[in-house]
Every structure is written in C-alpha cells, then in structure tokens.
Amino acid sequence: MTDKKFNENEYEKLDSPKRRKILPVDNILQGLGEINPGMVVADIGCGIGYLTLPLAERLRFSAGKVFAIDISPKMLNILESKIDRQQNIELVKSKESEVPIKSKQVDLSFLVTVFHELEEPEELIDEIKRFSKNKHRVVIVDWNDKERDMGPPAKIAFSKEEVIDIFKDKGYELLNTFKEDDNFYGLVFNIK
C-alpha cells in the first residue's frame, strides 16, 4: 500500500459523526438524480459501507443490487458484519484496477473520497467501462486540491478540472457538478 491509501486501521473515521456532517450521504445521492428501480450499482472503495448501506436500502425492494468493492479485506469484513439481512449487496475484493465483476453488469458507479488514492486512474476508468453497461454513469466525490484541516494532503488530490479532463479523455461527458465547498467537489459523468 502506498502512502496515498487510506489507513484501514482508522476505519472508524469512515462513518463518524464528523464525516456525516461534512459529507452527508443524502447530498451525494441528490447530486446524481434518481436511482431507478432494478439498478445495479458499484460502490468502488466502499470501505465499511458508508454509502453501500443507504444505496442497498433504496434498491432493496426493486430487485436492485450493490457491488461493494474494496481492496481491503478488513474493510469488507467489517461491512459484511453489518449486512446479514441485506441480500442485495455483493462484497467484492479487488485490486485497484482489476475488479472481478462480469462485463456489462453495472448502471452506476460511485467513487467517494477514493479518486485521490488512485495510482493509475485511467486504468480504473477502463475497468469501470468494462464492467458497466453501454449506457452508464459514474459519480465522483473527492477532496479538493486546496489546503484544509482534514483529509489527505492537498498535494495528492486531483483538482476538479483534472478529473473532468481524465474522464473526457476516456470518452465521458460531464452531466452535473454538485457538493462544492471548502472540502469536496462532486461530478457526475456518463459515457458518450
């Protein structure tokens, strides 16, 4: 693991009152619009389920499904202990740019406070394209590249403009921006 990766031993931070205050799940979900019944969603870098659990609840009675994807077995084990009754979550242990999901499965992918950790973001985008349906969306919420009193160092963050350029180079178009404040930006892309 590089120093860009979140320290899995600090997993409590991923679902703390402070995080809920500065990055409410409802704001993330409002930024992308409607989540349709039966959708298949990938929560990439799911951690301990901060977004996975609310997504699964919204999709629970509509035959929808959430792939909870993470590189950390510890995070997935913690999440697994929370989902004993949630049959619409599938835990997926992955590598950064290799996700063992069959091709053309996913309608919508989330990367929430994950993009800044990526060593090769273009490779993960190629993998998202592989496991996603031809028509799909990708939602990025990440730390801005300004100095702040929390989160990763600003020097490892991608600016909003850098992320937009990376996705455009991979054939995506920007649909929406949201959640812009002193800490985060939100972007919604779809494939052209």
Side-chain angles (χ1 to χ4, degrees), residues 134-183:
N134 290 336
K135 183 178 176 183
H136 65 275
R137 289 179 286 161
V138 180
V139 178
I140 305 291
V141 177
D142 217 327
W143 296 93
N144 64 39
D145 60 343
K146 300 178 178 106
E147 290 300 327
R148 14 176 222 295
D149 63 351
M150 66 179 99
K155 68 182 179 185
I156 70 166
F158 288 87
S159 72
K160 175 176 74 171
E161 293 75 22
E162 287 176 302
V163 175
I164 292 169
D165 287 344
I166 291 169
F167 271 88
K168 282 185 176 179
D169 287 348
K170 289 294 184 177
Y172 287 83
E173 65 181 349
L174 179 66
L175 288 180
N176 189 20
T177 62
F178 66 100
K179 183 54 182 148
E180 300 199 37
D181 62 22
D182 292 337
N183 298 304

Side-chain angles (χ1 to χ4, degrees), residues 77-94:
N77 287 338
I78 293 168
L79 176 55
E80 184 175 35
S81 72
K82 298 178 177 184
I83 61 170
D84 56 338
R85 294 184 307 250
Q86 299 222 19
Q87 299 301 312
N88 61 340
I89 297 174
E90 183 176 329
L91 301 176
V92 179
K93 166 71 173 78
S94 73

Side-chain angles (χ1 to χ4, degrees), residues 80 85 96 133 192:
E80 184 175 35
R85 294 184 307 250
E96 182 173 291
K133 296 175 182 173
K192 293 184 200 177

Side-chain angles (χ1 to χ4, degrees), residues 104-151:
K104 306 297 181 204
Q105 299 291 306
V106 174
D107 297 293
L108 173 63
S109 293
F110 285 91
L111 288 92
V112 177
T113 64
V114 170
F115 206 81
H116 68 275
E117 294 186 1
L118 299 176
E119 297 294 334
E120 300 290 338
E122 295 86 356
E123 289 181 15
L124 179 58
I125 295 169
D126 288 340
E127 185 68 346
I128 291 169
K129 287 173 94 171
R130 181 197 63 75
F131 68 63
S132 296
K133 296 175 182 173
N134 290 336
K135 183 178 176 183
H136 65 275
R137 289 179 286 161
V138 180
V139 178
I140 305 291
V141 177
D142 217 327
W143 296 93
N144 64 39
D145 60 343
K146 300 178 178 106
E147 290 300 327
R148 14 176 222 295
D149 63 351
M150 66 179 99

Side-chain angles (χ1 to χ4, degrees), residues 43-62:
D43 184 8
I44 302 167
C46 65
I48 61 173
Y50 184 73
L51 185 61
T52 301
L53 296 169
L55 282 169
E57 188 60 34
R58 286 181 184 223
L59 293 168
R60 174 175 254 177
F61 300 108
S62 70

